[in-house]
Coordinates of all heavy atoms in Angstrom, one line a residue:
M20 N -11.5 -10.5 7.5 CA -11.5 -9.1 7.5 C -12.4 -8.5 6.4 O -12.2 -8.9 5.2 CB -10.1 -8.5 7.5 CG -9.9 -7.0 7.6 SD -8.2 -6.4 7.6 CE -7.7 -6.8 9.2
A21 N -13.3 -7.6 6.7 CA -14.1 -7.0 5.6 C -13.3 -6.2 4.7 O -12.2 -5.6 5.1 CB -15.2 -6.2 6.3
R22 N -13.8 -6.0 3.5 CA -13.0 -5.3 2.5 C -12.7 -3.8 2.9 O -11.5 -3.4 2.8 CB -13.9 -5.2 1.2 CG -13.1 -4.6 0.1 CD -13.9 -4.7 -1.2 NE -13.0 -4.4 -2.3 CZ -13.3 -4.5 -3.6 NH1 -14.5 -5.0 -3.9 NH2 -12.5 -4.2 -4.5
S23 N -13.6 -3.1 3.5 CA -13.3 -1.8 4.0 C -12.3 -1.8 5.1 O -11.5 -0.8 5.2 CB -14.6 -1.0 4.4 OG -15.2 -1.7 5.5
S24 N -12.3 -2.8 5.9 CA -11.3 -2.9 7.0 C -9.9 -3.1 6.4 O -9.0 -2.6 6.9 CB -11.7 -4.0 8.0 OG -12.9 -3.7 8.6
R25 N -9.9 -4.0 5.4 CA -8.6 -4.3 4.7 C -8.1 -3.0 4.1 O -6.9 -2.7 4.2 CB -8.7 -5.3 3.7 CG -8.8 -6.7 4.2 CD -8.6 -7.8 3.1 NE -9.6 -7.7 2.1 CZ -10.8 -8.3 2.0 NH1 -11.1 -9.0 3.0 NH2 -11.6 -8.1 1.0
R26 N -8.9 -2.2 3.5 CA -8.5 -1.0 2.8 C -7.9 0.0 3.9 O -6.9 0.6 3.7 CB -9.7 -0.3 2.1 CG -10.1 -1.0 0.9 CD -11.3 -0.3 0.3 NE -11.6 -0.9 -1.0 CZ -12.8 -0.7 -1.6 NH1 -13.6 0.2 -1.1 NH2 -13.0 -1.3 -2.8
E27 N -8.7 0.1 5.0 CA -8.2 1.1 6.0 C -6.9 0.6 6.7 O -6.1 1.4 7.0 CB -9.3 1.4 7.0 CG -10.4 2.2 6.4 CD -9.9 3.4 5.7 OE1 -9.2 4.2 6.2 OE2 -10.3 3.6 4.5
A28 N -6.8 -0.7 6.9 CA -5.6 -1.3 7.5 C -4.4 -1.0 6.5 O -3.3 -0.6 7.0 CB -5.7 -2.7 7.8
G29 N -4.6 -1.2 5.2 CA -3.6 -1.0 4.2 C -3.2 0.5 4.2 O -2.1 0.9 4.1
R30 N -4.2 1.4 4.3 CA -4.0 2.8 4.3 C -3.1 3.2 5.5 O -2.1 3.9 5.3 CB -5.3 3.6 4.4 CG -5.2 5.1 4.4 CD -6.5 5.8 4.9 NE -7.6 5.5 4.1 CZ -8.1 6.2 3.1 NH1 -7.4 7.2 2.6 NH2 -9.2 5.8 2.4
R31 N -3.4 2.7 6.6 CA -2.6 3.0 7.8 C -1.2 2.5 7.7 O -0.3 3.2 8.1 CB -3.3 2.5 9.1 CG -4.6 3.3 9.4 CD -5.2 2.9 10.8 NE -5.5 1.5 10.9 CZ -6.6 0.9 10.5 NH1 -7.5 1.6 10.0 NH2 -6.8 -0.4 10.7
R32 N -1.1 1.3 7.2 CA 0.3 0.7 7.1 C 1.1 1.5 6.1 O 2.3 1.8 6.3 CB 0.2 -0.7 6.5 CG -0.2 -1.8 7.6 CD -0.2 -3.1 6.9 NE -0.6 -4.1 7.8 CZ 0.1 -4.8 8.6 NH1 1.4 -4.6 8.7 NH2 -0.4 -5.8 9.4
L33 N 0.5 1.9 5.0 CA 1.2 2.7 4.0 C 1.6 4.1 4.6 O 2.6 4.6 4.3 CB 0.4 2.9 2.7 CG 0.5 1.7 1.8 CD1 -0.6 1.6 0.8 CD2 1.8 1.6 1.1
A34 N 0.7 4.7 5.3 CA 0.9 6.0 5.9 C 2.1 5.9 6.9 O 2.9 6.8 7.0 CB -0.3 6.5 6.7
M35 N 2.2 4.8 7.6 CA 3.4 4.6 8.5 C 4.6 4.4 7.7 O 5.7 4.8 8.1 CB 3.1 3.4 9.5 CG 2.1 3.8 10.6 SD 2.0 2.5 11.8 CE 1.5 1.1 10.9
R36 N 4.5 3.6 6.7 CA 5.7 3.2 5.9 C 6.2 4.4 5.0 O 7.4 4.4 4.7 CB 5.2 2.1 4.9 CG 6.2 1.4 4.2 CD 6.9 0.3 5.0 NE 7.9 -0.2 4.1 CZ 9.2 -0.2 4.2 NH1 9.7 0.4 5.2 NH2 10.0 -0.6 3.3
L37 N 5.3 5.3 4.6 CA 5.6 6.4 3.8 C 5.3 7.7 4.4 O 4.3 8.4 4.0 CB 4.9 6.3 2.4 CG 5.1 5.0 1.7 CD1 4.2 4.9 0.5 CD2 6.6 4.8 1.2
P38 N 6.0 8.1 5.5 CA 5.6 9.3 6.2 C 5.5 10.6 5.4 O 4.7 11.5 5.6 CB 6.6 9.4 7.4 CG 7.7 8.5 7.0 CD 7.2 7.5 6.0
Q39 N 6.4 10.6 4.3 CA 6.4 11.8 3.5 C 5.1 12.0 2.7 O 4.8 13.0 2.2 CB 7.6 11.8 2.6 CG 7.6 10.8 1.4 CD 7.9 9.3 1.8 OE1 8.0 9.0 3.0 NE2 8.2 8.5 0.8
M40 N 4.3 10.9 2.6 CA 3.1 10.9 1.8 C 1.9 10.7 2.7 O 0.7 10.6 2.2 CB 3.1 9.7 0.8 CG 4.3 9.5 -0.1 SD 4.4 10.8 -1.3 CE 3.0 10.6 -2.3
R41 N 2.1 10.7 4.0 CA 1.0 10.4 5.0 C -0.2 11.2 4.8 O -1.3 10.7 4.7 CB 1.6 10.6 6.4 CG 0.6 10.2 7.5 CD 1.2 10.2 8.8 NE 2.2 9.1 8.9 CZ 3.4 9.2 9.5 NH1 3.7 10.3 10.2 NH2 4.2 8.2 9.5
K42 N -0.1 12.5 4.6 CA -1.3 13.4 4.5 C -2.1 13.0 3.2 O -3.3 12.8 3.3 CB -0.9 14.9 4.4 CG -2.0 15.8 4.4 CD -1.5 17.2 4.5 CE -2.6 18.2 4.8 NZ -3.5 18.5 3.8
L43 N -1.4 12.8 2.1 CA -2.1 12.4 0.9 C -2.7 11.0 1.0 O -3.8 10.8 0.5 CB -1.1 12.4 -0.3 CG -0.6 13.8 -0.8 CD1 0.5 13.6 -1.8 CD2 -1.8 14.6 -1.4
I44 N -2.0 10.1 1.6 CA -2.6 8.8 1.8 C -3.8 8.8 2.7 O -4.8 8.2 2.3 CB -1.5 7.8 2.4 CG1 -0.4 7.6 1.4 CG2 -2.1 6.5 2.9 CD1 0.8 6.9 2.0
M45 N -3.8 9.6 3.8 CA -4.9 9.6 4.7 C -6.1 10.3 4.0 O -7.3 10.0 4.4 CB -4.6 10.2 6.0 CG -3.5 9.4 6.8 SD -3.9 7.7 7.0 CE -5.3 7.7 8.1
E46 N -5.9 11.2 3.1 CA -7.0 11.9 2.4 C -7.5 11.2 1.1 O -8.5 11.7 0.6 CB -6.5 13.4 2.1 CG -6.3 14.2 3.3 CD -5.6 15.6 2.9 OE1 -5.3 15.8 1.8 OE2 -5.5 16.4 3.9
A47 N -6.8 10.2 0.7 CA -7.1 9.6 -0.6 C -8.5 8.9 -0.5 O -8.9 8.3 0.4 CB -6.1 8.5 -0.9
R48 N -9.2 9.1 -1.7 CA -10.6 8.6 -1.8 C -10.8 8.0 -3.1 O -11.9 7.4 -3.3 CB -11.6 9.7 -1.6 CG -11.5 10.4 -0.2 CD -12.1 9.4 0.9 NE -12.0 10.1 2.2 CZ -11.0 9.8 3.1 NH1 -10.1 9.0 2.8 NH2 -11.1 10.4 4.3
D49 N -9.9 8.1 -4.1 CA -10.1 7.5 -5.4 C -10.2 6.0 -5.3 O -9.4 5.4 -4.6 CB -9.0 7.9 -6.3 CG -9.0 9.4 -6.7 OD1 -10.1 10.0 -6.7 OD2 -7.9 10.0 -7.0
P50 N -11.0 5.4 -6.1 CA -11.2 3.9 -6.1 C -9.9 3.2 -6.4 O -9.6 2.2 -5.7 CB -12.2 3.6 -7.2 CG -13.0 4.9 -7.3 CD -12.0 6.0 -7.0
W51 N -9.0 3.7 -7.3 CA -7.7 3.0 -7.6 C -6.8 3.0 -6.3 O -6.1 2.1 -6.1 CB -7.1 3.6 -8.8 CG -6.5 5.0 -8.6 CD1 -7.2 6.1 -8.9 CD2 -5.2 5.3 -8.1 NE1 -6.3 7.2 -8.6 CE2 -5.1 6.7 -8.1 CE3 -4.1 4.6 -7.7 CZ2 -4.0 7.4 -7.7 CZ3 -3.0 5.3 -7.3 CH2 -2.9 6.7 -7.3
Q52 N -6.9 4.1 -5.6 CA -6.1 4.2 -4.4 C -6.6 3.2 -3.3 O -5.8 2.5 -2.7 CB -6.1 5.6 -3.8 CG -5.5 6.7 -4.7 CD -5.9 8.1 -4.3 OE1 -7.0 8.3 -3.9 NE2 -5.0 9.0 -4.5
L53 N -7.9 3.2 -3.2 CA -8.4 2.2 -2.2 C -8.1 0.8 -2.5 O -7.8 0.0 -1.7 CB -10.0 2.4 -2.1 CG -10.4 3.8 -1.7 CD1 -12.0 3.9 -1.7 CD2 -9.9 4.2 -0.4
E54 N -8.1 0.5 -3.8 CA -7.7 -0.9 -4.3 C -6.2 -1.1 -4.0 O -5.9 -2.2 -3.5 CB -7.9 -1.0 -5.8 CG -9.4 -1.2 -6.1 CD -9.7 -1.4 -7.6 OE1 -8.8 -2.0 -8.2 OE2 -10.7 -1.0 -8.0
L55 N -5.3 -0.1 -4.1 CA -3.9 -0.3 -3.8 C -3.8 -0.5 -2.3 O -3.0 -1.4 -1.8 CB -3.1 0.9 -4.2 CG -2.7 1.0 -5.6 CD1 -1.9 2.3 -5.9 CD2 -1.8 -0.1 -6.0
F56 N -4.5 0.2 -1.5 CA -4.5 0.0 0.0 C -4.8 -1.4 0.4 O -4.2 -2.1 1.2 CB -5.4 1.0 0.7 CG -5.1 2.5 0.5 CD1 -6.1 3.4 0.7 CD2 -3.8 2.9 0.1 CE1 -5.8 4.7 0.5 CE2 -3.6 4.2 -0.1 CZ -4.6 5.2 0.1
E57 N -5.9 -1.9 -0.3 CA -6.4 -3.2 0.0 C -5.4 -4.3 -0.4 O -5.1 -5.2 0.3 CB -7.7 -3.5 -0.7 CG -8.4 -4.8 -0.3 CD -9.8 -4.9 -0.9 OE1 -10.3 -4.0 -1.5 OE2 -10.3 -6.0 -0.7
A58 N -4.8 -4.1 -1.6 CA -3.8 -5.0 -2.1 C -2.6 -5.0 -1.2 O -2.0 -6.1 -1.0 CB -3.4 -4.6 -3.6
Y59 N -2.2 -3.9 -0.8 CA -1.0 -3.8 0.1 C -1.3 -4.5 1.4 O -0.4 -5.3 1.9 CB -0.7 -2.3 0.4 CG 0.6 -2.1 1.2 CD1 1.8 -2.1 0.5 CD2 0.6 -1.8 2.5 CE1 3.0 -1.9 1.1 CE2 1.8 -1.6 3.2 CZ 3.0 -1.7 2.5 OH 4.2 -1.5 3.1
Q60 N -2.4 -4.4 2.0 CA -2.8 -5.1 3.2 C -2.8 -6.6 3.0 O -2.3 -7.4 3.8 CB -4.1 -4.6 3.8 CG -4.6 -5.4 5.0 CD -3.7 -5.2 6.2 OE1 -2.9 -4.3 6.3 NE2 -3.7 -6.2 7.1
A61 N -3.3 -7.0 1.9 CA -3.4 -8.5 1.6 C -1.9 -9.0 1.4 O -1.7 -10.1 1.9 CB -4.2 -8.7 0.3
A62 N -1.1 -8.3 0.7 CA 0.3 -8.7 0.6 C 1.1 -8.8 1.9 O 1.8 -9.8 2.2 CB 1.1 -7.8 -0.4
V63 N 0.9 -7.8 2.7 CA 1.5 -7.7 4.0 C 1.0 -8.9 4.9 O 1.8 -9.6 5.6 CB 1.3 -6.4 4.7 CG1 1.7 -6.4 6.2 CG2 2.1 -5.3 4.0
A64 N -0.3 -9.1 4.9 CA -0.8 -10.1 5.8 C -0.4 -11.5 5.3 O 0.0 -12.4 6.2 CB -2.4 -10.1 5.7
A65 N -0.3 -11.7 4.0 CA 0.1 -13.0 3.5 C 1.6 -13.2 3.9 O 2.0 -14.3 4.3 CB -0.1 -13.1 2.0
R66 N 2.4 -12.2 3.6 CA 3.8 -12.3 4.0 C 4.1 -12.6 5.4 O 4.8 -13.4 5.8 CB 4.5 -11.0 3.6 CG 6.0 -11.0 3.9 CD 6.6 -9.6 4.0 NE 6.0 -8.9 5.1 CZ 6.0 -7.5 5.2 NH1 6.5 -6.8 4.2 NH2 5.4 -7.0 6.2
D67 N 3.4 -11.8 6.3 CA 3.5 -12.0 7.7 C 3.1 -13.4 8.2 O 3.7 -13.9 9.2 CB 2.8 -10.9 8.5 CG 3.5 -9.6 8.3 OD1 4.6 -9.5 7.7 OD2 2.8 -8.6 8.7
S68 N 2.1 -14.0 7.5 CA 1.6 -15.3 8.0 C 2.6 -16.4 7.7 O 2.5 -17.4 8.3 CB 0.2 -15.6 7.3 OG 0.4 -15.9 6.0
I69 N 3.5 -16.2 6.7 CA 4.4 -17.2 6.3 C 5.9 -16.9 6.7 O 6.7 -17.7 6.6 CB 4.4 -17.6 4.8 CG1 4.8 -16.4 4.0 CG2 3.1 -18.2 4.5 CD1 5.0 -16.7 2.5
R70 N 6.1 -15.7 7.2 CA 7.4 -15.3 7.6 C 7.9 -16.2 8.7 O 7.2 -16.6 9.6 CB 7.4 -13.8 8.1 CG 8.8 -13.3 8.5 CD 8.8 -11.9 8.8 NE 9.1 -11.2 7.5 CZ 8.8 -10.0 7.2 NH1 8.2 -9.3 8.1 NH2 9.1 -9.5 6.1
G71 N 9.2 -16.5 8.7 CA 9.8 -17.3 9.7 C 9.9 -18.8 9.4 O 10.5 -19.5 10.0
R72 N 9.2 -19.1 8.3 CA 9.2 -20.5 7.9 C 10.3 -20.7 6.8 O 10.1 -20.1 5.7 CB 7.9 -21.0 7.3 CG 6.8 -20.9 8.4 CD 5.5 -21.3 7.7 NE 4.3 -20.9 8.6 CZ 3.1 -21.0 8.2 NH1 2.8 -21.4 6.9 NH2 2.1 -20.6 9.0
S73 N 11.3 -21.4 7.1 CA 12.4 -21.5 6.1 C 12.0 -22.0 4.7 O 12.6 -21.7 3.7 CB 13.6 -22.3 6.7 OG 13.1 -23.6 7.0
S74 N 11.0 -22.8 4.7 CA 10.5 -23.4 3.5 C 9.8 -22.4 2.6 O 9.5 -22.7 1.4 CB 9.6 -24.6 3.7 OG 8.4 -24.2 4.4
H75 N 9.5 -21.2 3.1 CA 8.8 -20.2 2.4 C 9.6 -19.0 2.2 O 9.0 -17.9 1.8 CB 7.5 -19.8 3.1 CG 6.5 -20.9 3.2 ND1 6.4 -21.9 4.2 CD2 5.5 -21.3 2.3 CE1 5.4 -22.7 3.9 NE2 4.8 -22.4 2.8
A76 N 10.9 -19.0 2.3 CA 11.7 -17.9 2.1 C 11.6 -17.2 0.8 O 11.5 -15.9 0.8 CB 13.2 -18.2 2.4
N77 N 11.5 -17.9 -0.3 CA 11.3 -17.3 -1.6 C 10.0 -16.6 -1.7 O 9.9 -15.5 -2.3 CB 11.4 -18.3 -2.7 CG 12.8 -18.8 -2.9 OD1 13.8 -18.1 -2.5 ND2 13.0 -20.0 -3.5
L78 N 8.9 -17.2 -1.1 CA 7.6 -16.6 -1.2 C 7.6 -15.3 -0.3 O 7.0 -14.3 -0.8 CB 6.6 -17.6 -0.7 CG 5.1 -17.2 -1.0 CD1 4.9 -16.9 -2.4 CD2 4.2 -18.4 -0.5
V79 N 8.3 -15.3 0.8 CA 8.3 -14.1 1.6 C 9.0 -13.0 0.8 O 8.6 -11.8 0.8 CB 9.1 -14.3 2.9 CG1 9.4 -13.0 3.7 CG2 8.3 -15.3 3.8
R80 N 10.1 -13.3 0.1 CA 10.8 -12.3 -0.7 C 9.9 -11.8 -1.8 O 9.8 -10.6 -2.1 CB 12.0 -12.9 -1.4 CG 13.3 -12.5 -0.7 CD 14.5 -12.9 -1.5 NE 14.6 -14.3 -1.9 CZ 14.9 -15.4 -1.2 NH1 15.2 -15.2 0.1 NH2 14.9 -16.6 -1.7
E81 N 9.1 -12.6 -2.4 CA 8.1 -12.2 -3.4 C 7.1 -11.2 -2.9 O 6.8 -10.2 -3.5 CB 7.4 -13.4 -4.1 CG 8.3 -14.2 -5.0 CD 7.6 -15.3 -5.7 OE1 6.3 -15.2 -5.9 OE2 8.2 -16.4 -5.9
Y82 N 6.6 -11.5 -1.7 CA 5.6 -10.6 -1.1 C 6.3 -9.3 -0.7 O 5.7 -8.2 -0.8 CB 5.0 -11.3 0.2 CG 3.8 -12.2 -0.2 CD1 3.9 -13.6 0.2 CD2 2.7 -11.8 -0.9 CE1 2.9 -14.4 -0.1 CE2 1.7 -12.7 -1.2 CZ 1.8 -14.0 -0.8 OH 0.8 -14.9 -1.1
D83 N 7.5 -9.4 -0.2 CA 8.3 -8.1 0.1 C 8.4 -7.3 -1.2 O 8.2 -6.0 -1.1 CB 9.7 -8.4 0.6 CG 9.7 -8.7 2.1 OD1 8.7 -8.3 2.8 OD2 10.6 -9.4 2.5
E84 N 8.7 -7.9 -2.3 CA 8.8 -7.2 -3.6 C 7.5 -6.6 -4.0 O 7.4 -5.4 -4.5 CB 9.3 -8.1 -4.7 CG 10.8 -8.5 -4.5 CD 11.3 -9.5 -5.5 OE1 10.6 -9.8 -6.5 OE2 12.3 -10.1 -5.3
T85 N 6.4 -7.3 -3.8 CA 5.1 -6.8 -4.1 C 4.8 -5.6 -3.3 O 4.3 -4.6 -3.8 CB 4.0 -7.9 -3.9 OG1 4.3 -9.0 -4.8 CG2 2.6 -7.4 -4.2
C86 N 5.0 -5.7 -2.0 CA 4.8 -4.5 -1.1 C 5.6 -3.3 -1.6 O 5.1 -2.2 -1.7 CB 5.1 -4.9 0.3 SG 4.0 -6.1 1.1
H87 N 6.9 -3.5 -1.9 CA 7.7 -2.4 -2.4 C 7.2 -1.9 -3.7 O 7.2 -0.6 -3.8 CB 9.1 -2.9 -2.5 CG 10.1 -1.9 -3.0 ND1 10.5 -0.9 -2.2 CD2 10.7 -1.7 -4.2 CE1 11.3 -0.1 -2.8 NE2 11.4 -0.5 -4.1
E88 N 6.7 -2.7 -4.6 CA 6.2 -2.2 -5.9 C 5.0 -1.4 -5.7 O 4.8 -0.3 -6.3 CB 5.9 -3.4 -6.8 CG 7.2 -4.0 -7.3 CD 6.9 -5.3 -8.1 OE1 5.7 -5.7 -8.3 OE2 7.9 -6.0 -8.4
I89 N 4.1 -1.8 -4.8 CA 2.9 -1.0 -4.5 C 3.3 0.3 -3.9 O 2.7 1.4 -4.2 CB 1.9 -1.8 -3.5 CG1 1.3 -3.0 -4.3 CG2 0.8 -0.9 -3.0 CD1 0.6 -4.0 -3.4
E90 N 4.2 0.3 -2.9 CA 4.7 1.6 -2.3 C 5.2 2.5 -3.4 O 4.9 3.7 -3.4 CB 5.8 1.3 -1.3 CG 5.3 0.6 -0.1 CD 6.5 0.1 0.7 OE1 7.7 0.4 0.4 OE2 6.2 -0.7 1.7
Q91 N 6.1 2.0 -4.3 CA 6.7 2.8 -5.4 C 5.6 3.4 -6.3 O 5.7 4.5 -6.8 CB 7.8 2.1 -6.1 CG 8.9 1.7 -5.3 CD 9.5 2.9 -4.6 OE1 9.9 3.9 -5.2 NE2 9.6 2.9 -3.2
H92 N 4.6 2.5 -6.7 CA 3.6 2.9 -7.5 C 2.8 4.1 -6.9 O 2.5 5.1 -7.6 CB 2.6 1.8 -7.9 CG 1.5 2.1 -8.8 ND1 1.7 2.4 -10.1 CD2 0.2 2.3 -8.5 CE1 0.5 2.7 -10.6 NE2 -0.4 2.6 -9.7
L93 N 2.5 4.0 -5.7 CA 1.7 5.0 -5.0 C 2.5 6.3 -4.9 O 2.0 7.4 -5.1 CB 1.4 4.5 -3.5 CG 0.3 5.3 -2.8 CD1 -1.0 5.2 -3.6 CD2 0.1 4.7 -1.4
I94 N 3.8 6.2 -4.6 CA 4.7 7.4 -4.5 C 4.7 8.1 -5.9 O 4.5 9.3 -5.9 CB 6.1 7.0 -4.1 CG1 6.1 6.6 -2.6 CG2 7.1 8.2 -4.3 CD1 7.4 6.0 -2.2
R95 N 4.9 7.3 -6.9 CA 4.9 7.9 -8.3 C 3.6 8.6 -8.6 O 3.5 9.7 -9.1 CB 5.3 6.9 -9.3 CG 6.8 6.6 -9.4 CD 7.1 5.8 -10.7 NE 6.3 4.5 -10.8 CZ 6.6 3.4 -10.2 NH1 7.7 3.3 -9.5 NH2 5.9 2.3 -10.4
A96 N 2.5 7.9 -8.4 CA 1.2 8.4 -8.8 C 0.8 9.6 -8.0 O 0.3 10.6 -8.5 CB 0.1 7.3 -8.6
M97 N 1.1 9.6 -6.7 CA 0.7 10.8 -5.9 C 1.7 11.9 -6.0 O 1.4 13.0 -5.6 CB 0.6 10.4 -4.4 CG -0.6 9.5 -4.1 SD -0.7 9.1 -2.4 CE -2.5 8.9 -2.3
S98 N 2.9 11.7 -6.6 CA 3.8 12.8 -6.8 C 3.7 13.5 -8.1 O 4.3 14.5 -8.3 CB 5.3 12.2 -6.7 OG 5.5 11.7 -5.4
E99 N 2.9 12.9 -9.0 CA 2.7 13.5 -10.3 C 2.0 14.8 -10.2 O 1.1 15.0 -9.4 CB 1.9 12.6 -11.2 CG 2.6 11.3 -11.7 CD 1.8 10.4 -12.5 OE1 0.6 10.7 -12.8 OE2 2.3 9.3 -12.8
P100 N 2.4 15.8 -11.0 CA 1.8 17.2 -10.9 C 0.3 17.1 -11.2 O -0.5 17.8 -10.5 CB 2.5 18.0 -12.0 CG 3.8 17.3 -12.2 CD 3.6 15.8 -11.9
S101 N -0.1 16.2 -12.1 CA -1.6 16.1 -12.4 C -2.3 15.6 -11.2 O -3.5 16.1 -10.9 CB -1.8 15.2 -13.6 OG -1.3 13.9 -13.3
Y102 N -1.8 14.7 -10.4 CA -2.4 14.2 -9.2 C -2.5 15.3 -8.2 O -3.6 15.5 -7.6 CB -1.7 13.0 -8.6 CG -2.4 12.6 -7.4 CD1 -3.6 11.8 -7.4 CD2 -2.0 13.0 -6.1 CE1 -4.3 11.4 -6.3 CE2 -2.7 12.7 -5.0 CZ -3.8 11.9 -5.1 OH -4.5 11.5 -3.9
A103 N -1.4 16.1 -8.0 CA -1.4 17.2 -7.0 C -2.5 18.2 -7.3 O -3.2 18.7 -6.4 CB 0.0 17.8 -7.0
Q104 N -2.7 18.5 -8.6 CA -3.7 19.5 -9.0 C -5.1 19.0 -8.8 O -6.0 19.7 -8.3 CB -3.5 19.9 -10.5 CG -2.3 20.7 -10.8 CD -2.2 21.9 -10.0 OE1 -3.2 22.7 -9.9 NE2 -1.1 22.2 -9.4
I105 N -5.3 17.7 -9.1 CA -6.6 17.1 -8.9 C -7.0 17.0 -7.4 O -8.1 17.3 -7.0 CB -6.7 15.7 -9.5 CG1 -6.6 15.7 -11.0 CG2 -7.9 14.9 -9.1 CD1 -6.4 14.4 -11.7
S106 N -6.0 16.6 -6.6 CA -6.3 16.5 -5.1 C -6.6 17.8 -4.5 O -7.2 17.9 -3.4 CB -5.2 15.7 -4.4 OG -4.0 16.5 -4.5
K107 N -6.1 18.9 -5.0 CA -6.3 20.3 -4.5 C -7.6 20.8 -4.9 O -8.2 21.7 -4.3 CB -5.2 21.2 -4.9 CG -3.9 20.9 -4.2 CD -2.8 21.9 -4.6 CE -1.5 21.5 -4.0 NZ -0.4 22.4 -4.5
G108 N -8.1 20.3 -6.1 CA -9.3 20.8 -6.7 C -10.5 20.7 -5.8 O -11.3 21.4 -5.5

């Protein structure tokens, strides 16, 4: 999957996962946001590829935690007043 495709796939996944942030996620253009979208897609894809294998249960949990951390980071960053002012500018 090409980098831009991974970014957009991650963006769509996060928009579904965080409906309260959907509009901001879909409008996001900052490089750090795009990197988060790509990292999220990579973590989800890796997790999904090993899910269901009992020998990888700990790794699945780690990928779940990584996904959750990315979600929380994005929520915090996009909820900050300084971000809201910049995105309206």
